[in-house]
Amino acid sequence: IFESIRLAGGYRRESTELSYERVTGAGPNEGILSATVGESAPIDQSNNLAYMAVIFEITENLKLHISQSNTVAKPTFREIAPFPIYNLSDESLEFGNPGFVFRANGKFKDWEAGKENSDYKNYAPADPAALRDPDLADNLIVGPDFAGLEIAEVESRDIRLEYFTPLDGLLAVGYFEKDVGAPIERVFAYQPNGIDLNTFINNNNDAELSGFEVELQQNLGIINDWVSQDILPFDWLTIGGNYTKIDAEVERSSFEIRNLATLQGISSSRPLYDQPSFVANAFVSLDIEKTGTLITLSQNWLGEQLERVGGLDDSQSGSADIYWDEFTSINLVIEQALTDHIKLKFSVKNLDSPVRSTFEDAAFYNNMVASDLLTKDGEQISTSAVGYKRTSQTVEPSYSISISGSF
């Protein structure tokens, strides 16, 4: 019985140092935003990461995989960089979260000088304690509880059953769960001059993900095997696809709910940022062995996913949760063997020039908009007539060509 059981595992210790340092004398960001870093919150930590799997070979063609692992999700440089960029997908400004960042350079100078007749008159010049004063949190892009980003820890559990069919075919089903501690999310901060400014925070709540997946792949040469003769060159063709359903939910952070008490019908939980509700793809491949040609045509589907967490700022201005709408695209890959060791590859992504759209959460949107203020040509209209669509964009095809060698 033990010959049918295999164990696999691994361990590594990983150290991370990540920080931003303000250059002394550097001027503030220009334009509508003059945010300035007062103090950075560097990351300096080590993590123990492990993986363990048990594989049961039930029969020669049937295997059961059970695994558990832990890993980390680190902030990207874009998520900590204190520079504004304009995000075309939702028509907003985006600003990283390196630590304690003043909304305006004038407030930074007041703090740096301990200026009299200012919010910082009771503090020494550049006193770090002033940055952590909750009564002065409105001067910062995010308050002291969320200033700076941390590494999010992820624990995963998976079970997967695989059945191997003739000609390298595969039928597999699986179930997975993940726990994400303090996930990093993109959130609404406030509105300078009427434009949404978004940043990144660690949610003070842990997230839970679960889902199932189905995968299928089969060379159609099996048809010739069934009829015991080569009717057509079905062995040139392989079809396949997979579907993954994802349920990812998290409680709203205290950062975003701080001013939501005035709104009705807003759920205390919501989808986790940047997690689609499902992912799917299907493909067909034509493999002409005599000429060394492989052509693959595929289509991908992506479910709705939270693009930006909404909220209200202290002036009760704000923006609703923004989602990417469902999205599908077609891709083409052509590979040609030039020699036994050299291969030419040409690919086209988004062959069909798909349109990708964002929309605002309907309940959130309706709670924020006063319907009696919505007028057109002097007449009142309803919020439903306005709609929740935010932006849309055409994703143009992208082309690539490469040569690779193996020796």
Side-chain angles (χ1 to χ4, degrees):
I1 185 172
F2 292 106
E3 293 180 356
S4 63
I5 301 177
R6 292 190 294 120
L7 299 177
Y11 167 84
R12 77 175 186 271
R13 182 173 174 81
E14 187 173 280
S15 298
T16 303
E17 294 184 12
L18 185 62
S19 65
Y20 167 82
E21 294 185 6
R22 180 173 60 86
V23 178
T24 302
N29 296 292
E30 300 298 334
I32 65 170
L33 183 67
S34 62
T36 306
V37 178
E39 179 184 309
S40 64
I43 294 173
D44 184 2
Q45 73 177 65
S46 296
N47 295 90
N48 297 312
L49 309 178
Y51 166 80
M52 177 63 72
V54 182
I55 302 98
F56 298 92
E57 295 186 4
I58 302 172
T59 67
E60 182 179 357
N61 297 323
L62 185 64
K63 296 181 180 181
L64 177 67
H65 297 249
I66 301 176
S67 64
Q68 182 166 343
S69 64
N70 63 297
T71 185
V72 292
K74 302 177 183 179
T76 65
F77 284 107
R78 173 58 255 166
E79 290 168 346
I80 68 168
F83 306 106
I85 64 169
Y86 187 73
N87 191 312
L88 294 173
S89 66
D90 57 15
E91 299 178 343
S92 68
L93 286 174
E94 188 171 290
F95 201 90
N97 181 7
F100 298 86
V101 183
F102 287 89
R103 296 185 181 187
N105 189 50
K107 293 292 184 181
F108 165 74
K109 291 182 176 179
D110 290 346
W111 167 76
E112 190 177 41
K115 185 178 178 180
E116 295 184 6
N117 300 322
S118 77
D119 293 340
Y120 301 97
K121 60 184 178 181
N122 296 324
Y123 289 95
D127 189 343
L131 300 176
R132 293 159 177 81
D133 187 339
D135 293 332
L136 301 178
D138 294 350
N139 294 334
L140 306 174
I141 289 183
V142 298
D145 291 341
F146 294 93
L149 294 177
E150 301 174 356
I151 294 176
E153 298 184 354
V154 184
E155 182 176 322
S156 303
R157 298 169 296 278
D158 301 81
I159 183 169
R160 178 180 170 93
L161 184 66
E162 298 177 338
Y163 178 69
F164 296 92
T165 62
L167 301 179
D168 298 324
L170 173 67
L171 174 61
V173 294
Y175 175 79
F176 60 89
E177 293 180 344
K178 296 179 186 289
D179 297 323
V180 184
I184 299 171
E185 301 188 291
R186 184 170 180 261
V187 300
F188 168 84
Y190 69 107
Q191 287 184 334
N193 297 316
I195 298 178
D196 289 358
L197 185 134
N198 305 315
T199 188
F200 300 88
I201 65 167
N202 288 95
N203 192 322
N204 57 300
N205 301 297
D206 296 343
E208 296 181 352
L209 288 78
S210 63
F212 68 88
E213 57 183 345
V214 179
E215 183 178 354
L216 170 67
Q217 180 174 309
Q218 183 60 60
N219 182 281
L220 296 186
I222 196 173
I223 297 176
N224 292 332
D225 293 343
W226 289 340
V227 298
S228 301
Q229 56 180 315
D230 295 337
I231 302 175
L232 291 171
F234 285 114
D235 57 338
W236 291 9
L237 293 172
T238 298
I239 61 172
N242 63 63
Y243 174 84
T244 303
K245 181 70 173 75
I246 304 171
D247 182 14
E249 190 170 278
V250 67
E251 292 291 315
R252 291 187 182 273
S253 68
S254 58
F255 176 82
E256 61 192 277
I257 66 174
R258 67 196 190 282
N259 293 317
L260 293 184
T262 57
L263 302 184
Q264 302 296 320
I266 304 300
S267 174
S268 62
S269 63
R270 54 164 174 75
L272 181 63
Y273 164 71
D274 204 32
Q275 291 294 320
S277 58
F278 70 88
V279 178
N281 72 69
F283 72 89
V284 57
S285 292
L286 175 65
D287 188 355
I288 308 174
E289 188 174 352
K290 292 181 180 180
T291 62
T293 305
L294 177 62
I295 303 173
T296 302
L297 183 67
S298 63
Q299 183 163 1
N300 301 324
W301 293 266
L302 198 64
E304 294 178 359
Q305 62 187 103
L306 183 59
E307 192 265 351
R308 198 283 317 275
V309 178
L312 297 177
D313 60 21
D314 296 305
S315 66
Q316 296 299 300
S317 297
S319 184
D321 294 339
I322 300 176
Y323 290 82
W324 285 112
D325 208 345
E326 293 184 4
F327 176 73
T328 182
S329 64
I330 297 175
N331 306 310
L332 174 67
V333 178
I334 302 175
E335 298 181 45
Q336 178 63 53
L338 302 180
T339 70
D340 291 340
H341 303 286
I342 299 177
K343 183 184 296 183
L344 178 67
K345 180 178 179 180
F346 171 75
S347 63
V348 185
K349 293 183 178 180
N350 303 307
L351 183 64
D352 54 335
S353 299
V355 175
R356 196 169 194 195
S357 304
T358 60
F359 67 91
E360 295 181 309
D361 176 82
F364 207 139
Y365 179 89
N366 281 331
N367 271 277
M368 293 178 58
V369 177
S371 59
D372 59 330
L373 298 181
L374 292 171
T375 60
K376 183 177 181 180
D377 298 329
E379 297 183 5
Q380 181 177 327
I381 59 176
S382 67
T383 55
S384 60
V386 177
Y388 316 113
K389 188 174 180 180
R390 183 71 175 244
T391 62
S392 64
Q393 59 193 51
T394 299
V395 183
E396 298 294 343
S398 61
Y399 307 87
S400 66
I401 187 169
S402 62
I403 297 178
S404 62
S406 58
F407 301 93

